[in-house]
């Protein structure tokens, strides 16, 4: 008896599995077919019912034991059929009324860091005009961070009070490892790796030995860019900087430039864009000037091109850099720079 | 630096139509950044001349008195503590609402029960001097009710210039140099500085100065005058006003003269009292020497600091500050006036070492033109002779060279056109350069340019420097905007960039984690609490806080801190970071330059923390599985193995290695209870950390994975629940099932049970096993037989018993 029951169970499950594997008809047809199968095994005249009729012919002890066993099998099968039916059943609209104004099921959401968001925006802009996106070491050598960028050996920027040095001396007994103070060392690394012509941006983390308060951070984020090709000139640099302003802040955004000294460019410049908050009328954010200082740029110094293995007679180019913290702070009206590295979800989840 | 417009007018005659803000814009757009315009009149707004009509005792205070002061529009009651207050005096009265130069705001007040409607000011309160002995008594010329600034004759306009923008232009640290720039903007005549100096000092001299230069590298040029018959007194009004206008406190006629020249030409001078110095030696300080400087502070010196010494001891730190004993004092009758050129880096270092940065050191740091030295002496002499008509030069000393290496720069006009992007014309180029003091010789298309000494000292060396001069004077904003016309190239996209973006999206949006940017630094105390050995960590030489002394080797410590700081604001939360870790072994990047070495290892890790809520461990593993599924187009599954070596903060029994194939990607670690307690983290937390590069390999390997044919034949699914000893690991069981036969195409765990219906030490693991063939429909019998053999194997290998449904 038990053996027969087991066999029946196996057969039923096998059929169900086959049925599921083959469901490709319309839901109605599938349901019909399912009902057939259900009748075939569990129906009043189904296989199980027929088998159970034999129960009464058994001796009392055996009958009781087999009855229990059969019952279990029946429950099992009913369960199985139920599961399968759940998979193919056609949802029927419920008649109960619903409060349509109830909120949807809450979905838990994470967030991207605001610097990631703005960085991506700028990356997309530059990739669309043919710039590569590169990444580079945050722990740099004195050579790439300063020397290759034409920063004089005793330039104040190299002081301990401005730059974090690593407590690890080179063979000459000098500290030559540091936390990069700018993304600019990647200019020379990129030139060495990819040569000219070259178009690339390099976002990244930078460091300065500076006590933190609401406006100063020892860890901050920059985005560097370079473009090197034949006959690249000042007018082109303005063209690209203008394009960036318009893409960041809208078509009416103007560009204003003025001289600024950086050792690795000549001429060097600061770029200001029309304040996006007041449209140039003057407000608190732009300190009533109507302009926001956003970018530093310049034509790449020939010494820097040489350090990157590029012939300044043949190629020229420009470089530029954005302070990502500043862009984010302006965009979202953030007034405390420490929030960026503070890890406070109440801040992070807003982006 | 502050620039007085009246002072500027000594050198250039600006048209009346040019306003201060026009000039500020011009300077900002062409030369240096002007940060603000300050009108002197406004500095003393609501300060007016008043007359003291009566003075009475204060009923409740001995030292205070009650004054009635006529300010023409009314008569004010003012409580005053000055001992020199007398009836009939003309005084400076700060009215209610006035904000004094020191920032003091005047309000209506009650002092010991008596109301006071203003303040009678002392010199120091007005920022006009150090005197606080009593109120400032004005001369009879003062008119009651007159604005105090009008009484003082202060109607200058001051431009505040950003010092940083002057850092590469040593020639602009005085009014004369800035005036030259202004003369170019407006095409004005610009005078030779000679016109403002006393005639050249040629002698004969009745005395010889005993001066010796021992270090001509740190002091390339030194000159000095001995001037006799001087008297120390207050400077004349014009001199005081000029100094005050640019924020320099007047001291006496001699010191003021030296400061005046510094502010005008940019060359610092120093005056010694001649009777206090028998001889001067310019040398490096000796070990253990020290100096008491003008500000009455004692400074230790060392051999890297250049000093001016007399026969016994240092009397000045060269280029930085003078000594107190040898400075000008009230009785000084003879002075030695020093005008020298000191090496820039040495001055900067000396100033930093003794912790004193002065107007003088700031200028020397910028590399000054030694040719300024003789001019400055003669300019100062002229001013001293104006205040002391009997002053006479007794001796003159000079040593060293004022020559500066200045080579001719050749450039083509066509090269300039090409770099600018438009043609401005040779004439324009030449005019700009000549206006700035460059000598230009035109030879066909070639310009031969000789750099003037004041620009050669530091900033102009190559053709590109001249390009900058031309472009900035022409105006950056006047150059047309154009876009480069270049060959189109599709930018190379780096797979690591694609993966990083993808991972961030997966973590933030599939898994509801918040991205953090944590510091790259950790502190010793932080690591100790987490039971992490800091001995192999890279250290900073100059950390600024004890919390940030070393470079992180793992993203975990800072994420754990994040979990702690956020724990009370959210029931359950997760944070992730993708960032670099730093290990003291050779990495992939070259150091560059002369070194053939490499930078320390600094690859990226991907890490997250999940804190609070149920099943943190399992949730964390779910995130890992999700990441791997998503970056491998569903081709790779992670599995977890127990391990031996987990970080010190991990509960080793409840931590696992993350595996893909035979490679270990990282770890999942439950924070140990005792550690949580030590750091005050109340929520159960799990840290996951994986190597970015390992994930990159997986990503790259499955980037081009092909579509798999959906089998035409049905899969047969069987659910099997096994009862095994609790020590039996899921992963081993799963492995055995999955690798049992090629027809088994997936094995999914769907239930784990341990509890009342099972004996202790037993658990039930329920799997859904799917059998599939690509070339036929499997028969029930075939699957049964396969499953039968599988059950036998599992029973043998793991003692697994089928749990009856």
């Amino acid at each position: 008896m038990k053996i027969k029951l087991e066999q029946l169970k196996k057969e039923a499950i096998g059929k169900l599995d086959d049925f599921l594997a083959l469901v490709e008809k319309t839901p109605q047809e599938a349901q019909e077919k399912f009902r057939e199968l259900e009748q075939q095994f569990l129906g009043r005249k189904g296989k199980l019912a027929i088998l159970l009729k034999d129960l009464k012919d058994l001796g009392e002890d055996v009958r009781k034991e087999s009855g229990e066993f059969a019952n279990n099998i029946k429950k099992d099968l009913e369960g199985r059929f139920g599961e399968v039916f759940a998979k193919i059943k056609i949802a029927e609209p419920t008649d109960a009324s619903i409060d349509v104004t109830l909120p949807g099921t809450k979905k838990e959401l994470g967030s991207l860091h605001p610097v990631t968001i703005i960085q991506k925006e700028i990356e997309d802009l530059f990739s669309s005009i043919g710039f590569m996106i590169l990444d580079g070491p945050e722990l740099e050598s004195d050579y790439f961070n300063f020397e290759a960028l034409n920063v004089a050996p005793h330039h104040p920027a190299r002081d301990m009070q401005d730059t974090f040095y690593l407590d690890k001396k080179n063979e000459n007994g000098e500290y030559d490892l540091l936390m990069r103070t700018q993304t600019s060392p990647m200019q020379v690394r990129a030139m060495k790796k990819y040569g000219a012509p070259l178009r690339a941006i390099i976002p990244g983390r930078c460091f300065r030995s500076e006590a933190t308060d609401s406006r100063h951070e020892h860890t901050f984020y920059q985005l560097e860019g370079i473009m090197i090709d034949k006959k690249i000139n000042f007018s082109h640099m303005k063209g690209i900087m203008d394009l960036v302003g318009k893409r960041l802040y809208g078509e009416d955004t103007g560009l204003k430039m003025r001289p600024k000294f950086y050792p690795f460019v000549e001429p060097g410049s600061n770029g200001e864009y029309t304040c996006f908050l007041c449209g140039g009328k003057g407000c608190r954010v732009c300190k009533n000037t109507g302009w926001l200082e956003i970018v530093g740029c310049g034509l790449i110094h020939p010494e820097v091109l040489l350090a990157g293995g590029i012939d300044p007679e043949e190629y020229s180019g420009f470089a530029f850099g954005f302070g990502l913290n500043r862009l984010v702070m302006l965009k979202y009206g953030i007034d405390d720079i420490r929030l960026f590295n503070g890890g406070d979800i109440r801040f992070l989840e807003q982006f | 630096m502050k620039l007085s417009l009246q002072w500027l007018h000594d050198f250039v005659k600006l048209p009346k139509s040019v306003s201060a803000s026009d000039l500020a814009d011009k300077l900002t757009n062409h030369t240096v950044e002007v940060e603000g315009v300050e009108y002197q009149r406004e500095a003393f707004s609501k300060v007016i001349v008043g007359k003291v009509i009566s003075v009475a005792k204060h009923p409740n205070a001995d030292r205070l008195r009650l004054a009635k002061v006529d300010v023409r529009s009314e008569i004010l009651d003012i409580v005053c503590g000055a001992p020199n207050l007398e009836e009939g005096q003309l005084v400076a009265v700060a009215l209610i609402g006035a904000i004094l130069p020191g920032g003091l705001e005047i309000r209506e007040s009650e002092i010991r029960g008596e109301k006071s409607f203003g303040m009678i000011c002392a010199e120091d309160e007005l920022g006009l001097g150090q005197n606080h002995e009593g109120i400032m008594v004005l001369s009879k010329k003062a008119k009651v009710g007159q604005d105090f600034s009008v009484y003082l004759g202060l109607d200058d306009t001051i431009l505040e210039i950003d010092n940083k923008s002057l850092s590469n232009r040593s020639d602009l640290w005085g009014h004369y140099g800035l005036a030259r720039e202004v003369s170019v903007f407006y095409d004005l005549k610009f005078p030779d500085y000679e016109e403002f100096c006393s005639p050249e000092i040629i002698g004969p001299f009745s005395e010889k100065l005993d001066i010796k230069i021992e270090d001509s590298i740190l002091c390339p040029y030194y000159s000095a005058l001995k001037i006799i018959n001087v008297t120390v007194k207050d400077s004349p009004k014009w001199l005081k006003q000029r100094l005050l206008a640019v924020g320099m406190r007047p001291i006496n006629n001699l010191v003021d003269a030296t400061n005046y020249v510094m502010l005008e030409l940019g060359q610092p001078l120093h005056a010694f009292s001649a009777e206090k110095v028998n001889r001067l030696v310019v040398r490096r300080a000796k070990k253990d020497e020290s100096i008491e400087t003008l500000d009455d502070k004692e400074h230790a010196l060392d051999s890297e600091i250049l000093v001016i010494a007399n026969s016994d001891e240092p009397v000045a730190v060269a280029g930085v500050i003078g000594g107190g004993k040898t400075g000008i004092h009230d009785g000084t009758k003879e002075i030695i006036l020093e005008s020298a050129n000191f090496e820039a880096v040495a001055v900067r270092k000396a100033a930093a070492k003794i912790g004193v940065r002065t107007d003088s050191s700031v200028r020397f740091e910028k590399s000054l033109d030694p040719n300024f030295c003789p001019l400055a002496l003669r300019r100062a002499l002229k001013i001293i002779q104006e205040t002391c008509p009997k002053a006479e030069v007794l001796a003159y000393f000079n040593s060293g060279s004022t020559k500066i290496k200045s080579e001719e720069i050749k450039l083509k006009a066509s090269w300039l056109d090409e770099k600018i992007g438009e043609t401005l014309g040779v004439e324009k180029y030449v005019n700009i350069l000549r206006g700035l003091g460059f000598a230009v010789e035109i030879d066909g298309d070639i310009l031969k340019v000789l750099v003037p000494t004041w620009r050669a000292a530091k900033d102009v060396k190559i053709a590109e420097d001249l390009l900058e001069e031309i472009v900035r004077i022409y105006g950056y904003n006047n150059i047309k905007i154009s876009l480069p016309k270049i060959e189109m190239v599709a930018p190379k996209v780096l797979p690591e960039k694609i993966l990083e973006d993808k991972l961030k999206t997966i973590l933030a949006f599939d898994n509801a984690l918040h991205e953090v940017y944590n510091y790259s630094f950790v502190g010793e105390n932080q690591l100790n609490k987490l039971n992490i050995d800091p001995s192999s960590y890279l250290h900073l030489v100059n950390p600024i806080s004890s919390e940030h002394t070393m470079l992180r080797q793992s993203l975990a410590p800072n994420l754990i801190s994040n979990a702690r700081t956020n724990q009370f604001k959210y029931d359950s939360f997760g944070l992730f970071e993708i960032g670099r870790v730093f290990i003291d072994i050779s990495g992939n990047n070259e150091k560059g330059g002369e070194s053939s070495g490499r930078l320390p290892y600094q690859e990226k890790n991907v890490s997250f923390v999940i804190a609070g809520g149920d099943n943190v461990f399992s949730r964390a593993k779910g995130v890992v599985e999700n990441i791997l599924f998503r970056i491998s187009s569903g081709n790779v599954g992670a599995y977890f193995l127990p391990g031996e070596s987990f970080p010190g903060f991990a509960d080793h029994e409840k931590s696992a290695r993350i595996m893909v194939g035979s490679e270990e990607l990282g770890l999942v670690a439950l924070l140990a209870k005792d550690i949580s307690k030590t750091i005050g983290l109340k929520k159960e937390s799990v840290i996951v950390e994986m190597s970015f590069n390992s994930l990159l390999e997986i990503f790259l390997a499955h980037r081009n994975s092909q579509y798999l044919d959906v089998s035409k034949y049905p899969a047969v699914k069987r659910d099997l629940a096994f009862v095994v000893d609790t020590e039996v690991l899921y992963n081993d069981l799963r492995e055995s099932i999955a690798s049992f036969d090629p027809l088994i195409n997936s094995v999914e765990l769907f239930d784990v049970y341990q509890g009342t219906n099972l004996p202790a030490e037993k658990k039930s693991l329920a799997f859904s096993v799917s059998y599939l063939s690509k070339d036929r429909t499997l028969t029930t019998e075939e699957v049964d037989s396969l499953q039968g053999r599988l059950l036998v194997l599992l029973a043998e290998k793991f003692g697994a018993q089928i749990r009856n449904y």
Side-chain angles (χ1 to χ4, degrees), chain A residues 10 14 17 21 76 80 87 108-113 115-116 119-120 123 127 130-141 143-144 154-156 159-160 163-168 170-171 175-177 179 189 192 194 199 205 207 209-212 217-219 221 227 229 231-236 238-240 242 255-261 266-269 293 299 301-302 312 316 340-346 348-349, chain B residues 28-31 33 167-168 345 348-349 352 418-421 459 462 464-465 467-468 471-472 476-489 491-492 494 497 500-501 504-505 508-509 512-521 538-544 548 551-552 562 565-566 569-570 572-577 580 582 584 589-595 599-600 602 604 714-719 778 780 784 805:
Chain A
K10 265 189 193 160
D17 285 346
D76 251 11
R80 280 304 178 100
K87 288 185 188 166
E108 222 183 309
L109 281 181
S111 56
L112 292 177
H113 194 280
V115 171
T116 298
Q119 181 183 315
K120 181 82 181 124
E123 285 171 1
S127 356
F131 282 65
M132 289 195 288
I133 304 165
L134 304 177
D135 193 7
E138 290 163 11
L139 193 174
E140 257 296 359
S141 63
Y143 174 79
F144 280 110
H154 296 286
H155 192 279
D159 278 0
M160 291 268 177
T163 302
F164 284 126
Y165 282 87
L166 271 292
D167 194 4
K168 193 174 157 66
N170 65 9
E171 51 277 15
Y175 292 123
D176 67 343
L177 295 175
M179 301 310 288
R189 286 191 183 275
K192 289 182 90 155
Y194 298 100
R199 268 173 282 167
R205 184 180 281 212
F207 309 84
S209 171
E210 182 166 62
T212 50
E217 249 291 0
H218 59 59
T219 299
Y221 304 87
M227 172 160 189
D229 213 316
K231 298 194 181 300
I232 290 292
N233 59 42
F234 199 92
S235 169
H236 295 145
K238 283 189 74 171
I240 298 289
D242 184 60
L255 167 72
K256 206 166 90 169
M257 290 173 91
R258 61 186 163 79
K260 169 104 188 199
F261 176 74
E266 191 74 69
S269 173
E293 199 176 317
L299 297 185
H301 197 286
S316 54
F340 288 110
N341 295 302
D344 187 336
I345 300 177
R346 291 172 301 173
L348 298 168
E349 69 183 353
Chain B
T28 297
N29 286 331
H30 301 282
T31 307
E33 189 184 348
S167 61
N168 64 321
V345 175
R348 181 164 64 83
K349 287 189 170 164
E418 203 176 278
K419 293 287 168 188
I420 296 168
D459 72 322
I462 57 172
E464 279 78 2
D465 296 325
L467 166 69
E468 175 171 65
V471 180
R472 76 179 173 86
Y476 285 9
N477 294 318
N478 296 326
I479 290 172
K480 67 166 197 226
I481 285 178
S482 70
L483 284 169
K485 290 167 187 61
I486 51 166
E487 252 177 66
M488 276 179 64
V489 187
K492 188 173 170 186
L494 303 185
K497 175 66 189 158
E500 187 168 340
D501 287 352
K504 286 186 175 184
T505 311
F509 303 127
L513 304 178
H514 299 284
E515 185 186 16
V516 287
Y517 284 15
N518 278 325
Y519 290 115
S520 304
F521 311 115
L538 282 161
H539 282 251
L540 293 177
V541 181
N542 52 336
I544 45 168
H548 297 153
L551 298 196
R552 61 182 179 186
N562 297 147
T565 53
N566 282 295
K569 291 152 203 156
Y570 299 86
S572 124
F573 57 89
L575 296 154
F576 78 94
E577 182 174 20
R580 292 183 187 277
F582 305 85
D584 194 4
N589 295 297
E590 287 172 19
K591 267 177 150 184
E594 280 153 28
S595 168
L599 295 177
Q602 44 184 320
K604 282 180 183 164
V716 177
K717 213 174 107 190
R718 295 284 168 86
D719 290 348
L778 294 176
T780 310
D784 287 346
Y805 263 109

